[in-house]
Amino acid sequence: MWRSQPYRTPLLLGLTALSLFLSACGGSSSTPSATASPAPQLTVPNLPAGQYRVSVGEDEQLQMGLYFSLSDGSRALLLQDAAANTTALYQQQAGQWQRIPAASGTAALQFSLEQGASLPASDLAAGRYIAQYKGQNLAWQLNAQGEISAASGSSCALSGKVAAPAANGLRALQLKLAQCAGLPAELTGWVVSDPEDQPAQQRWVLHDGRTLYEWLAISDDR
């Protein structure tokens, strides 16, 4: 005789109760919620106010850099490779160091060498400037007040402002971009004037908080 039917209802009730219990408890196979990773701890030497050429690391790992310590307590360090391309920007504001691109884990820099550097004030002569970035031709007009506007012959339109010098060889920069392939709509950073960059008059070290961009700007008055 068929006897399984009378037991179906108690069995379903038991399974339903077990399902509700596991759901309320998160289930026996639930994965613990992820814990946010702590922010990287960066330690960079705090040099007195001035400009310095520094080196980090030793032998094959040696990197040169430009270090700016400003009178308001903020600082900026540009680390460069053997071809003088900026590979990392460290900047300190309100006592906190930030690295762009971001560092993973703890990073403690020590300088193998530091020496004073007397860089000229960034050349802000009004006129037309050009640069190249990954095959794109960039051109802009700069007036005597440090205002940037679009210029013909550019792959994209630039606008923004270069601030008054925070230190010889260093100025803050705010930039907006339109129709620029592979570039974000807004960038911030620094304009650096270094005689070693000739024939470029300015080195623009820019970022969007995550990615580092660098242009060498050359005067193109015609």
Side-chain angles (χ1 to χ4, degrees):
M1 181 180 294
W2 187 260
R3 298 296 301 275
S4 62
Q5 184 66 27
Y7 295 96
R8 179 176 297 180
T9 299
L11 179 60
L12 289 176
L13 290 174
L15 291 174
T16 301
L18 178 61
S19 176
L20 291 173
F21 174 78
L22 292 176
S23 176
C25 295
S28 59
S29 62
S30 63
T31 303
S33 58
T35 302
S37 300
Q41 297 298 311
L42 302 180
T43 303
V44 182
N46 290 332
L47 301 182
Q51 310 127 52
Y52 305 85
R53 294 193 187 276
V54 302
S55 60
V56 178
E58 297 179 354
D59 301 329
E60 291 82 5
Q61 302 299 320
L62 187 68
Q63 277 191 287
M64 304 302 294
L66 289 173
Y67 184 111
F68 300 89
S69 181
L70 311 182
S71 58
D72 64 1
S74 59
R75 295 174 172 87
L77 167 64
L78 285 62
L79 285 185
Q80 300 173 332
D81 62 17
N85 300 310
T86 302
T87 58
L89 168 65
Y90 290 79
Q91 53 188 20
Q92 184 194 51
Q93 294 176 324
Q96 297 295 316
W97 282 97
Q98 174 192 24
R99 184 187 189 276
I100 301 163
S104 57
T106 300
L109 295 187
Q110 293 184 341
F111 295 152
S112 303
L113 169 71
E114 59 186 66
Q115 60 184 22
S118 181
L119 301 182
S122 296
D123 181 9
L124 271 189
R128 172 187 164 95
Y129 289 84
I130 59 172
Q132 281 202 336
Y133 178 75
K134 293 187 175 180
Q136 293 187 74
N137 295 318
L138 307 175
W140 62 91
Q141 289 291 139
L142 183 68
N143 67 18
Q145 289 72 47
E147 297 169 336
I148 300 164
S149 58
S152 60
S154 179
S155 304
C156 61
L158 308 181
S159 62
K161 175 76 173 180
V162 180
N168 283 349
L170 185 71
R171 295 176 186 262
L173 170 65
Q174 296 285 338
L175 192 65
K176 292 187 177 182
L177 306 91
Q179 299 178 340
C180 303
L183 292 168
E186 293 188 15
L187 291 170
T188 186
W190 306 95
V191 177
V192 179
S193 179
D194 185 349
E196 294 187 7
D197 289 337
Q198 292 293 330
Q201 284 77 35
Q202 302 168 4
R203 178 186 292 265
W204 287 22
V205 181
L206 305 161
H207 66 88
D208 60 358
R210 298 176 302 276
T211 304
L212 193 63
Y213 305 88
E214 183 172 68
W215 306 339
L216 292 176
I218 300 175
S219 176
D220 189 43
D221 281 330
R222 302 174 180 177

